[in-house]
Amino acid sequence: MAAWCRTELGWTNRTANRILKTGRRLLDLPATRNAWLARELSDGQVEIIVECVTDRRAGLWADHEAEVVPWLEPLDLLSTNRAMQEWAAKADAILEEKEPPEEAPVEAMLVKTLDGRGYLKAGLDAEHTELIATGLRLADSGDLEVPVKIRQGQALVDVFRFFLDHQTT
């Protein structure tokens, strides 16, 4: 989608990513989304909220959103920013008091663009990072004239190709 926004709308990469991030986050923020659609919150206020409501804080925001959003509506951007920074600090303090969360699961997402290219994003724990780093190192062509990101990209493709060619054995 970001590629389409850049190509078709002429947006910069930064603008496309910011707006798409806001749109994705608003899917999980019903009171914020409804206040924005009703023009009770400005675009700038929504961007401030989205920046403060990180994945880590999203659960707490879900608990507080219905109370906080009406309180934010009459504020200007500076006051909204101050209020949200204050809320974020309190949310972080509450989250730190709770037991440490279980280690995040290993996750990966392959995003395909309109032109057929793809971008791989992953969140790995230390063990899986080492596993993948070792696999990439062993599959690396070793051609030092080729940049490391290109060698690792090709190594990743080679590992997947090998797996697909040998998955029945």
Side-chain angles (χ1 to χ4, degrees), residues 1-161:
M1 186 54 122
W4 183 86
C5 290
R6 286 189 306 272
T7 304
E8 298 299 320
L9 302 175
W11 291 356
T12 64
N13 193 39
R14 181 179 174 169
T15 299
N17 288 332
R18 179 178 47 80
I19 290 173
L20 292 172
K21 175 186 175 186
T22 300
R24 281 190 298 269
R25 181 63 77 186
L26 283 176
L27 293 173
D28 299 324
L29 308 177
T32 305
R33 181 182 62 243
N34 292 340
W36 176 66
L37 290 172
R39 304 311 295 158
E40 294 163 350
L41 287 174
S42 70
D43 295 348
Q45 286 176 297
V46 170
E47 286 181 27
I48 291 167
I49 293 167
V50 166
E51 283 302 313
C52 287
V53 181
T54 61
D55 289 341
R56 181 172 182 251
R57 298 177 188 135
L60 280 176
W61 181 254
D63 295 340
H64 300 141
E65 182 184 24
E67 297 168 18
V68 176
V69 167
W71 187 77
L72 295 173
E73 290 172 0
L75 301 180
D76 61 21
L77 290 180
L78 184 60
S79 299
T80 300
N81 189 49
R82 270 194 224 117
M84 285 306 298
Q85 292 300 321
E86 205 173 293
W87 177 86
K90 289 177 183 177
D92 288 343
I94 291 168
L95 291 169
E96 287 171 11
E97 287 176 8
K98 295 181 178 182
E99 281 190 39
E102 294 179 24
E103 192 163 320
V106 174
E107 25 181 53
M109 182 185 324
L110 177 63
V111 178
K112 294 181 183 178
T113 63
L114 294 176
D115 64 359
R117 292 187 53 81
Y119 296 90
L120 182 63
K121 180 179 179 179
L124 310 168
D125 59 25
E127 176 188 353
H128 292 105
T129 298
E130 282 305 310
L131 176 77
I132 291 173
T134 301
L136 290 175
R137 188 177 66 252
L138 293 174
D140 190 327
S141 67
D143 183 353
L144 298 179
E145 292 183 19
V146 177
V148 70
K149 67 181 184 180
I150 293 174
R151 292 195 326 262
Q152 285 189 347
Q154 187 57 52
L156 187 62
V157 169
D158 292 344
V159 167
F160 276 95
R161 184 170 286 125

